[in-house]
Structures are given as structure tokens and as C-alpha cells.
């Protein structure tokens, strides 16, 4: 049994972690999760990536939507829409929260209001869903991804949900990151894990803010030989979300090679999909070792297999 | 057509206003509503009395519970309970919010977070429910009823919901009231209405905080001849809630006479229930005129009739 630490964003990381549970059991599996998508919506503290990881690993995610809970209803949102229409405000109610999902946000908001830290609340939520893995926010401090667009600087959920990431991005920053402290256990988990995986999440807005928390990037650099990244860019495209466009808009290459250039400093190995086998030489030219494997995780078994590929590839394979 | 202003708490006032809509139409009917029960629960701004007034007047209240919306579901609360149990915290999740009701709280919280005032949001909510009457919070500033109990000073919702008003109260205060400003329209409505009714709400914790907002009591004193109060104490008992016990615990008499002593300064007339006809002389000894009428509002027609009794009684009857 190996101890494994996964640097995680939302959907892609959650899919990997779902299968990783079958390879690394119990608290030997730690997910360090992005919090820069977190926001306060209508007074409620939401943590999209943390919830996606927990719900997915608990087999409770809605498989069709890819976010939120299965067996969901939308009574609160339908009720809220009555008022949105009346007031003629389009900026209230664009954020969709299912009724069951609201229970999570209500609990988190109540606990935070009473002084609990986000990592404490997250541990409680993960335990309530029966997870034995550790799910840890990268920081208990607020970090907020800000995107510079033609309409000015906007918040992440504005970009991702309200605008459906349909606008060009000229710059990205992570407000609060520089003064944030890594949450308890984060740096220790990176230092102690036998293998570290950078999940196939968005390199810019999911992995980027995790790296921006003081200490995290250095901790990974110190573990470079044991750190394996998985490219979330397959055949030049992101499976889901705006990673491909964001990379290009910010001057990077939307390919496994572009990902390698971003990760080479702190990860010795990049796992690229079979369709990108032809990029292996270009990846290795960045200083990373390239491993070619199936990376599309349609099933839990796919994710377990990909986890094993990464573990085998670490430390020289 | 007369213009009518009703000083309102929650359930009792809402029942009166429901019928008052059939007597005084459109914006000639103004409800000035207590906000000292308002609280922030799990990050959401709740306004119990405002919502009870709106839901009741819109025929949308749950008739059995007496609060919240009819046709309600409880998915968010059921979901939240998963976490409450896991964390072993009994103080999270004791406040029951239905899924449809949550839509109202989400809307209000979002609008307040964006800088709207409570009176603006309340007008939007009332309009969305199709009300033509004006529903106005007594103040846009936060006012919080605090109750001194054996376990120290507690918040109103702690007392009312968590403890089911089952503890003795040694004192009551309205934090923020002294520095609060009456909301736009409040003092004008009292000054301009032909008749003012003090609804049969809890004199201590519903009417009390409305009177505590600077200017309101004086505005009523100036309109004493046209102000008619309805005793919410019938045969010595409150129909609902802790008004009878609170009166006694705070040194008042739990009777229509006790109510008269509290209201005589600013209301010329007290309407008491038929069962309290024998108290008429004692009521008049306080300086109020006493009108005896049926005050239990089982139906909308009962409430309309009681409204007419009050209007007829104002200004000398």
C-alpha cells in the first residue's frame, strides 16, 4: 500500500480520486483541493471543487450534470425565480443550487459562521458521506480567482457559471493567495506521500491557485521525482471546461506540451493520453519524462487503472 | 375608502391583514412590520414576520403550520441533517427552512448583499406575490430582540424556535433599536392614515420593537384618537405563542387590561374579545375606550369584519 497525495481541482480530479480510492485505501489517500472557485452566493459559502470531489468519491454526484447531487430537486431555485423576474434583475438567481446541495451549503455556512475552519467543515462533510480518504482544502483562507475580461475584472463564478466561460480572458489572478496559509496537513501530506499526482484539472484556474499558496509549489519542487502530472489536455482540447481556450488566451500552448512547460519545474513525469503519443518527444524536451496511457476516465475502473499508471511511473517508473 | 395603517407582528397581524385587504384596497393599506425577529441563519437573512405577513396575505402560507409556504418540501433540511448528526452539533440545523421558503431567503440575502435595503427587497417580494397593499419593515436597520434567561442573554430565534419559548424570561431588549431609523414611508404612513390599527400581536416582542424605533411611538401618540388596538390576549391567554407568559414574567397582567395599560398612551381604543366583555370597565379605567367584538379570526371574512370594527371604532366610533 502506497501513500498518495493528489493535487485536485474539480471534475477531472474528482473522477481520478473516485478510482484512486480502490488503489489507495483510507487516510493514505489525501486530496488537496483548490478553493479559488469558492464564493459566497446569496449569503451561502459554496466550495464547488471540494463538493465535486466529495460527491463524486461518495458516488453521490449527478452523473449527467457532472456537478451537484444525484436525485436532486430544484424547489428553492424555482421559488427564487419568482422574485428574480419581479425585480427584473438578471444577476440574482443565475447560480443553480439544488435543494439537497443547499443542505451542504447551509451546513458549511453555519459552521463557518460559528468559527469552524473550512478544513474542519470539509472533514466533517467528507466523513458524513462515508469517505475514508482525506479531503483537505489547500487553505482555510479565502482565495478568489479573478479574471480580466473585456468587461473588466470578474469573479470566477461570474465567468464560469453566469457567462458560461464564453468570454475571452486576458489575465488571471488569485486574490488572497499570496497571504494565504496552507491548511493544516497540506504541506505535510506533500512531504510525506510516496507519490504525488497532479490531477488532470485546469492548469490555470484549478491547479494554478493551489500552487499560488505559499509553500505548496516549493513542497512539490522538493518532491519533483515522485510527482506525476496527468495532462488534462487531450488532442489539444480540454474534455470539459475552458482550459484549452484559457491556455491559448494566456499565451500557452493548448497541448500536453503546453501543460508540460507549466509543470516541468515541480513534476518529473507527465502522463499523456494515447492520442498524444506523438507528442512524447516534445514533452520530454521540457525536462519531464513522458508516459503514454489511456487517460479518459469513463468508469471507476478506468480511474483506478490511471492511478496505478501514475504510481508505477513515479520515482522513475 | 379609508386609508389604513396596521402595526404588525407575525401570525396575528397577518391574519388581520389578510382580511383587511378586502376592506381597504391597494396601497391605501400599509403594514408596518416588526423586524426584531430577523436573523441570519446559516448565512441567510430571514425576516419571519415580514414573510408571514406576505405569505398569509397572498394565501400562500401553510395553514396548518401557520408559518412558511404551503406545498412545501424539506429536502435541503433533510440533507443538512446528514452533517449535523455527523458533527454531533445540535446547534446547527435546528432552524427549519422549507425548500420553497429558502427561495425567498436566498433572494433577500442576494439583494441585501448587493446593497438593496430591506424595504426595497420587501416591496419586491410583496409585489411578486401579487399583493397590492404596502408591506414595510419598520426599519431598514438591524434590530435584534434579546431575551435575558437563566442561561444568559439569548437571541429571539434561539428562544422562539430552538427553545420553543419554554424558558422563563427575565428581561427583553431590542439591540439596535435606539439608533435605528424608521424605514422610508413608516412615519408618513402613520401620519397620513385615517385609521391606525395595532394588530393583536405579542405586545412585548412584536409590537414592542416597532415602538422602540425612534419616532414611531411619538407618531402614534400624535394619532392617538385614530389608533385602535386589538388585544391579542383573550380570556387571559394568548391564542398562540408566549405573549401571556412573557407579560407575567415581565411584571404585566396577562389580560386585555394588561394590554390596555401598555397601549393607553398612544391608542384611544382597545378592541377586546366577547369573552372579555367583563373587563370593559377595567380597560376604560386605563384611559382607553373599550369595544367588545369577536376577535378570533378563523376565516378571512372574520378578519375583514374585525378590520371594519376597528375602522368604525376609530375617532370616537
Amino acid at each position: 500500500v502506497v501513500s498518495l497525495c493528489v493535487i485536485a481541482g474539480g471534475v477531472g480530479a474528482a473522477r481520478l480520486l473516485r478510482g484512486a480510492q480502490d488503489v489507495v485505501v483510507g487516510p493514505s489517500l489525501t486530496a488537496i483541493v483548490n478553493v479559488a472557485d469558492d464564493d459566497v452566493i446569496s449569503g451561502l459559502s459554496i466550495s464547488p471543487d471540494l463538493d465535486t470531489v466529495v460527491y463524486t468519491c461518495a458516488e453521490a454526484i449527478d452523473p449527467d450534470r457532472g456537478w451537484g447531487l444525484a436525485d436532486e430537486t430544484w424547489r428553492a431555485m424555482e421559488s427564487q425565480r419568482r422574485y428574480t423576474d419581479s425585480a427584473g434583475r438578471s444577476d440574482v438567481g443565475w447560480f443553480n443550487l439544488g435543494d439537497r446541495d443547499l443542505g451542504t451549503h447551509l451546513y458549511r455556512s453555519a459552521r463557518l459562521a460559528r468559527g469552524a475552519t473550512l478544513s474542519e467543515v470539509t472533514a466533517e462533510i467528507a466523513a458524513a458521506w462515508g469517505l475514508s480518504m482525506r479531503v483537505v482544502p489547500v487553505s482555510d483562507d479565502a482565495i478568489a480567482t479573478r479574471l480580466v475580461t473585456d468587461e473588466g475584472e470578474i469573479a470566477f463564478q461570474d465567468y464560469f457559471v453566469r457567462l458560461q466561460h464564453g468570454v475571452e480572458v486576458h489575465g488571471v489572478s488569485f486574490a488572497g493567495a499570496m497571504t494565504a496559509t496552507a491548511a493544516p496537513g497540506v504541506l505535510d501530506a506533500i512531504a510525506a506521500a510516496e507519490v504525488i499526482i497532479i490531477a488532470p484539472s485546469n492548469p490555470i484556474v484549478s491547479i494554478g491557485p493551489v500552487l499560488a499558496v505559499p509553500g505548496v509549489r516549493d513542497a512539490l519542487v522538493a518532491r519533483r521525482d515522485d510527482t506525476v502530472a496527468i495532462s488534462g489536455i487531450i488532442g489539444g482540447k480540454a474534455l470539459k471546461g475552458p482550459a484549452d481556450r484559457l491556455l491559448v488566451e494566456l499565451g500557452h500552448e493548448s497541448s500536453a506540451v503546453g501543460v508540460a512547460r507549466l509543470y516541468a519545474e515541480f513534476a518529473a513525469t507527465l502522463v499523456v493520453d494515447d492520442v498524444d503519443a506523438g507528442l512524447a518527444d516534445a514533452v520530454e524536451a521540457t525536462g519531464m519524462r513522458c508516459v503514454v496511457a489511456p487517460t479518459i476516465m469513463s468508469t471507476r475502473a478506468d480511474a483506478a487503472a490511471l492511478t496505478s499508471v501514475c504510481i508505477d511511473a513515479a520515482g522513475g517508473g
Side-chain angles (χ1 to χ4, degrees), chain A residues 43-64:
Chain A
L44 296 178
S45 297
I46 63 158
S47 293
D49 284 354
L50 286 167
D51 287 352
T52 295
V53 165
V54 169
Y55 292 169
T56 302
C57 289
E59 302 290 350
I61 199 102
D62 185 280
D64 299 321

Side-chain angles (χ1 to χ4, degrees), chain A residues 42-101:
Chain A
S42 302
L44 296 178
S45 297
I46 63 158
S47 293
D49 284 354
L50 286 167
D51 287 352
T52 295
V53 165
V54 169
Y55 292 169
T56 302
C57 289
E59 302 290 350
I61 199 102
D62 185 280
D64 299 321
R65 263 181 284 118
W67 56 271
L69 288 164
D71 185 28
E72 189 57 285
T73 51
W74 307 91
R75 304 260 298 170
M77 285 297 111
E78 285 157 17
S79 167
Q80 186 180 355
R81 227 158 273 137
R82 165 194 297 271
Y83 305 120
T84 308
D85 291 346
S86 147
R89 305 267 297 206
S90 61
D91 58 350
V92 169
W94 52 264
F95 202 85
N96 235 349
L97 299 170
D99 299 325
R100 296 184 69 208
D101 194 29

